[in-house]
């Protein structure tokens, strides 16, 4: 895409850059927004939107041609832009209404609302995608499909060409190819909405296949399988990344690599996008130019390469989208007019949305379009500006391209992740030299794999070296202090950052604004970042317990020695657990305790093990739910770590820590939640401070603890409040503990009503200083000169409870 996006060569003088051709941009954007709105409306509402836009466009057109008066020149100029926008609304809304009416067709909708068990006739639309789940249990596969017919419980067959999402665990669903026809039985459910999926089908068993997949899909499947075999001897990180980099196959990609790529803004490399197309087509273009081929011959050769690449990675909707973005560059090349690339992009966006309105809500589509638009609109100007200031041509191009793409994509990424990455541009800049060789060598390995397996393995080995560099850049970038900043998530956050970005780009056209921005950036980097690096203030001095903000879950840390700690629970997410321990400077885990096996306490176990030794794991005797138990045992076995069953009276002593299991006093059965009420309850003493960690114990276990405790035996200075502060607390238990500090690990915006206001009120009335991770972030109790104090991350220590 760089060849197409580069524009005319940089000039030595100060001649202004050619103005972009935005004539079709308004039409494409309007069609996009109308399609997005239509996905969340009914067909009637969407048609009403189209009718209103059509009426306004007609009135404006009559005025502009002089039927309803003679408009002035400025009115005519901007009036036709408004008419194009209204026509875009009409096209986008009409196309979406037609598809929404099929999605909401009566017969299928009735079966969905009844949650009927049906026999479905399906055509697979895309590759089955595994959902990362629990080790030792069958993975759930998501299989996007087209429903051609469905037979309900009454035996009546309904012809229904609508989209469905199949959820399956049977191994028979693995290896299906797009275009494969099959029949499956299962139960229908209501989809999440916001797209063209009419139903979710939970498959009850294996599918019955009818014939073979199309020849092109079988050929692509053979090449992809060959690439996987060629990558099998490689280390896990490089061997998992290469198929994702080349053909979008991330089935072997380690979760740690995926998380590092997300944190550094490099996640676009894990999926087929316009950059993949640009690299392959660009390699062919270089060869064609070396052979002195003319523009049309070069474009023809690139077109053949484009078709071959689409066959290799399979013509799924995401690949067709990426190929369209690549074809835009070819059109500009063939025409010899790089300025035509932007109208081609706008036309391509409009055509794709009319063909498949669901793309309007696809984040991948938005990222592809925005990245391509950034390369066309921003990169040439920035490159030429750098060259005018004496930056060498190649380096100017290398700086401008990733910066333009990242700036254009930043609003969508911020809306998805709720963060703004400060390392994305430098990380992508460092990654640029490795992307093309890894991709080209990987494509060659896939191409020769059916006829020369040994040669494919050699090419994959060569490609593993640039892949290693990509993994290294992502790993170190993800671990930089202050590498990401929190940002409002969802549509509001994306729109906010988009507005700020546009305002900054407009304002930056003035030299005084550019200087002011440069001064602010330098001040932030020279002032704030060294403070974070040299004196981050976390963990606070003399801390005795910390509860980390890991979402709706628990991760509590007790210090043993500098860099060494006991970790109680791992939260729901490996990245969050790893980040918690990195912020606290924990390099070694003396003991990893799981209060119970619910996913909000055990799901992040891989993050605790990431890059640090774990001496032992303490787990409850109550081995349910099995999913969490198997996840913990599998991770411990992978690191040769012993798992010990905890029971009341079990004790651990090391350094400044003395830890004893006080509950459950006996197994509890038939309670509201047996896993919760068999949580390990721990009483720890750190530097003389008593800390009670109550797991998710509810009223039944709390009463059992009260019945078996000696007077004052549950008294503690710090209480980790049970079950995220839920309403299932025994008031007598809280009174018996009577803490000075109450820590409530809880996720922001959770749907469980945690924490309960009455529980927080009782703790506060008892004299406790209550800290919540959803509002205070990471929290810690510290032992100061005047006694126990609390610290929240980023606030000064010494706040007295």
């Amino acid at each position: 895409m760089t060849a197409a996006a580069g524009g005319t060569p940089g000039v030595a003088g100060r001649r202004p850059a050619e103005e972009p051709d935005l004539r079709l941009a308004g039409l494409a954007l309007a069609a996009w927004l109308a399609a997005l709105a239509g996905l969340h409306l009914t067909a009637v509402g969407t048609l009403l939107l189209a009718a209103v836009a059509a009426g306004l466009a007609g009135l404006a057109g009559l005025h502009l041609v002089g039927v309803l008066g003679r408009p002035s020149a400025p009115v005519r100029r901007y009036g036709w832009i408004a008419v194009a926008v209204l026509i875009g609304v009409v096209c986008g809304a009409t196309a979406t209404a037609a598809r929404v009416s099929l999605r909401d067709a009566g017969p299928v909708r009735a079966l969905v609302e009844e949650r009927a068990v049906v026999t479905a006739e399906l055509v697979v639309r895309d590759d089955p995608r595994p959902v990362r789940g629990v080790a030792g249990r069958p993975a759930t596969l998501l299989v996007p499909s087209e429903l051609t017919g469905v037979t309900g419980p009454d035996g009546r067959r309904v012809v229904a060409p609508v989209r469905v999402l199949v959820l399956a665990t049977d191994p028979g669903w693995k290896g299906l190819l797009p275009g494969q026809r099959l029949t499956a039985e299962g139960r229908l459910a209501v989809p999440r909405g916001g797209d063209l999926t009419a139903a979710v089908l939970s498959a009850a068993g294996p599918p019955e296949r009818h014939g073979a997949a199309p020849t092109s899909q079988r050929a692509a499947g053979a090449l992809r399988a060959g690439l996987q075999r060629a990558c099998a001897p490689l280390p896990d990180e490089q061997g998992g990344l290469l198929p994702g980099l080349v053909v979008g196959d991330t089935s072997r990609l380690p979760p740690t690599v995926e998380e590092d790529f997300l944190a550094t803004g490099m996640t676009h490399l894990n999926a087929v996008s316009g950059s993949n197309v640009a690299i392959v087509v660009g390699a062919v273009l270089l060869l064609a130019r070396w052979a002195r081929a003319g523009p049309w011959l070069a474009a023809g050769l690139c077109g053949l390469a484009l078709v071959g690449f689409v066959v290799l990675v399979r013509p799924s909707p995401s690949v067709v989208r990426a190929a369209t973005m690549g074809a835009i560059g070819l059109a500009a090349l063939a025409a010899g007019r790089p300025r035509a690339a932007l109208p081609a992009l706008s036309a391509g966006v409009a055509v794709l949305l009319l063909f498949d309105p669901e793309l309007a809500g696809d984040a991948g589509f938005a990222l592809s379009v925005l990245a391509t638009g950034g390369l066309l609109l921003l990169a040439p100007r920035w490159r030429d500006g750098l060259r005018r200031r004496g930056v060498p041509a190649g380096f100017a191009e290398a700086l401008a391209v990733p910066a333009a793409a990242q700036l254009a994509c930043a609003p969508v990424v911020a809306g998805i992740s709720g963060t703004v990455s400060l390392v994305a541009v430098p990380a992508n800049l460092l990654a640029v030299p490795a992307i093309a060789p890894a991709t080209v060598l990987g494509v060659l390995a896939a191409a020769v794999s059916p006829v020369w397996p040994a040669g494919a393995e050699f090419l994959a080995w060569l490609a593993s070296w640039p892949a290693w560099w990509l993994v290294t850049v992502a790993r170190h970038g993800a671990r930089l202090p202050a590498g990401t900043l929190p940002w409002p998530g969802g549509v509001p956050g994306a729109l906010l950052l988009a507005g700020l970005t546009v305002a900054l780009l407009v304002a930056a056209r003035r030299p005084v604004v550019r200087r002011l921005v440069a001064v602010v950036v330098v001040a932030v980097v020279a002032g704030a970042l060294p403070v974070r690096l040299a004196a981050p203030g976390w963990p606070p001095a003399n801390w005795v317990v910390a509860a980390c903000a890991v979402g709706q879950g628990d991760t509590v840390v007790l210090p043993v020695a500098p860099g060494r700690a006991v970790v109680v629970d791992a939260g729901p997410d490996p990245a969050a657990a790893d980040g918690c321990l990195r912020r606290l400077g924990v390099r070694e885990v003396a003991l990893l305790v799981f209060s119970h096996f619910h996913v909000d306490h055990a799901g992040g176990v891989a993050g605790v093990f990431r890059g640090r030794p774990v001496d032992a794991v303490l787990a409850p005797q109550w081995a349910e739910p099995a999913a969490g138990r198997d996840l913990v045992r599998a991770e411990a076995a992978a690191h040769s770590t012993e798992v010990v069953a905890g029971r009341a009276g079990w004790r651990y002593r090391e350094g400044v820590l003395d830890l004893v299991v006080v509950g459950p006093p006996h197994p509890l059965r038939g309670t509201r939640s047996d896993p919760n009420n068999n949580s390990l309850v721990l009483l720890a003493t750190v530097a003389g401070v008593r800390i009670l960690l109550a797991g998710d114990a509810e009223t039944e276990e709390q009463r059992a603890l009260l019945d078996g405790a000696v007077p004052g035996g549950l008294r503690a200075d710090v209480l980790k409040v049970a079950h995220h502060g839920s309403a299932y607390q025994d008031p007598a238990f809280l009174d018996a503990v009577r803490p000075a500090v109450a820590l409530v690990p809880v996720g922001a915006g959770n749907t469980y009503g945690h924490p309960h206001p009455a529980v927080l009120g009782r703790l506060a009335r008892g004299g406790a200083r209550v800290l919540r991770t959803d509002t205070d972030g990471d929290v810690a109790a510290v032992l100061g000169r005047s006694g126990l104090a609390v610290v929240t991350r980023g606030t000064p220590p010494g706040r007295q409870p």
Side-chain angles (χ1 to χ4, degrees), residues 361-430:
D362 185 350
F365 176 73
L367 290 172
S368 287
V369 174
L370 290 173
T372 307
L375 296 181
L376 297 176
L377 285 172
L378 302 177
R381 293 171 176 269
W382 292 358
R383 177 204 60 199
D384 294 344
L386 290 170
R387 291 185 64 183
R388 286 195 299 268
R389 288 164 176 79
V391 178
F395 190 57
E397 186 92 18
L399 283 173
V401 168
Q406 287 298 325
L407 185 68
C409 294
V412 175
V413 175
I416 295 172
S417 64
T419 60
V420 175
S421 176
L422 301 182
V423 300
V425 171
N428 279 273
L429 178 61
L430 290 172

Side-chain angles (χ1 to χ4, degrees), residues 390-654:
V391 178
F395 190 57
E397 186 92 18
L399 283 173
V401 168
Q406 287 298 325
L407 185 68
C409 294
V412 175
V413 175
I416 295 172
S417 64
T419 60
V420 175
S421 176
L422 301 182
V423 300
V425 171
N428 279 273
L429 178 61
L430 290 172
V432 164
I435 297 172
T439 301
V440 172
L441 289 170
V443 169
L444 292 175
V448 304
S449 61
V451 295
W452 190 18
E457 289 189 10
F458 176 72
L459 290 168
W461 176 79
L462 290 177
S464 70
W465 291 100
W468 168 84
W469 173 249
L470 295 174
V471 171
T472 302
V473 169
R475 180 188 298 121
H476 290 285
R479 283 155 178 73
L480 283 177
T484 58
L485 296 178
W487 191 264
V491 175
L495 293 177
L496 175 61
L497 186 57
L500 291 175
T501 301
V502 171
L504 182 61
L505 289 173
V506 172
R509 298 170 69 93
R510 298 179 178 274
V512 64
V513 176
R514 290 200 298 270
R515 296 189 186 100
L516 179 62
V517 170
V519 169
V520 171
V521 171
V522 170
V524 170
V525 173
L529 188 56
V531 171
R532 292 287 298 273
L533 292 173
W538 196 261
N542 302 320
W543 64 290
V544 294
V545 61
C548 289
V550 293
Q552 181 66 8
D554 279 19
T555 299
V556 179
V557 185
L558 303 167
V560 171
R564 184 170 171 84
V566 167
V567 180
V568 182
D569 291 323
D573 177 56
D578 179 41
C580 162
L581 299 184
R582 285 193 286 108
R583 293 191 296 272
L584 290 169
V586 176
R587 299 181 299 274
E588 300 176 2
V589 176
L591 179 68
L592 173 57
V593 184
F594 290 96
S595 62
H596 62 300
F597 290 123
H598 277 152
V599 70
D600 57 334
H601 293 251
V605 58
V608 178
F609 277 90
R610 185 180 303 165
R612 58 183 66 87
V614 178
D615 293 351
V617 173
L618 180 68
Q621 292 180 298
W622 192 269
E624 295 179 5
R629 175 201 64 198
D630 294 343
L631 177 62
V632 169
R633 290 180 178 175
E635 192 67 30
H639 293 83
S640 302
T641 301
E642 180 185 8
V643 178
V644 180
R647 57 178 57 86
W650 190 91
R651 200 174 201 99
Y652 178 86
R653 290 191 182 96
E654 182 182 353

Side-chain angles (χ1 to χ4, degrees), residues 114-448:
E114 294 172 6
R115 297 181 58 86
V117 176
V118 300
T119 300
E121 302 163 24
L122 305 168
V123 178
V124 178
R125 296 183 59 242
D126 206 345
D127 294 298
R129 303 189 304 272
V131 178
R132 185 167 295 130
V134 177
R137 295 176 66 86
T140 298
L141 296 173
L142 303 182
V143 189
S145 303
E146 192 83 19
L147 183 70
T148 58
V150 59
T151 303
D154 57 359
R156 185 168 62 92
R157 183 177 182 273
V158 176
V159 177
V162 296
R163 295 179 182 179
V164 298
L165 181 64
V166 180
L167 304 180
T169 57
D170 193 280
W173 290 88
K174 294 181 179 179
L176 291 174
L177 300 176
Q180 176 78 57
R181 292 184 174 272
L182 49 88
T183 302
E185 294 183 357
R187 184 180 295 276
L188 294 177
V190 178
R192 66 178 182 179
D195 55 24
L196 294 179
T197 302
V200 175
L201 176 70
S202 297
E208 179 183 351
R209 306 189 187 195
H210 303 294
T215 303
S216 62
Q217 299 290 0
R218 295 201 305 272
L223 294 174
R224 291 163 67 97
L227 178 60
Q228 283 283 12
R229 288 192 299 271
C231 294
L234 301 176
D236 290 344
E237 293 180 333
Q238 294 94 296
L241 176 61
L242 268 177
L245 187 68
V246 176
V247 297
D249 182 359
T250 59
S251 58
R252 285 186 54 204
L253 185 66
T256 54
V257 177
E258 188 173 4
E259 291 156 8
D260 290 344
F261 271 54
L262 179 62
T264 51
M266 296 168 60
T267 190
H268 59 90
L269 300 178
N270 297 337
V272 176
S273 65
S275 62
N276 299 72
V277 177
I279 289 168
V280 174
V281 172
V284 175
L285 178 61
L286 288 176
L287 290 175
R289 285 182 173 175
W290 178 75
R292 300 183 181 278
W296 283 104
L297 178 58
L301 293 174
C302 291
L304 291 176
L306 181 62
V307 173
F309 184 71
V310 170
V311 171
L312 169 64
V313 298
R314 296 181 179 168
S316 61
S318 60
V319 176
V320 171
R321 177 196 71 218
T324 302
M325 296 299 105
I328 290 168
L330 292 181
L333 171 67
R337 297 175 58 203
R339 188 170 180 265
L342 194 59
L345 172 64
S346 301
V349 169
V351 170
L352 283 173
L353 289 170
L354 295 179
F355 176 74
D356 186 3
E358 191 174 72
L359 290 174
D362 185 350
F365 176 73
L367 290 172
S368 287
V369 174
L370 290 173
T372 307
L375 296 181
L376 297 176
L377 285 172
L378 302 177
R381 293 171 176 269
W382 292 358
R383 177 204 60 199
D384 294 344
L386 290 170
R387 291 185 64 183
R388 286 195 299 268
R389 288 164 176 79
V391 178
F395 190 57
E397 186 92 18
L399 283 173
V401 168
Q406 287 298 325
L407 185 68
C409 294
V412 175
V413 175
I416 295 172
S417 64
T419 60
V420 175
S421 176
L422 301 182
V423 300
V425 171
N428 279 273
L429 178 61
L430 290 172
V432 164
I435 297 172
T439 301
V440 172
L441 289 170
V443 169
L444 292 175
V448 304

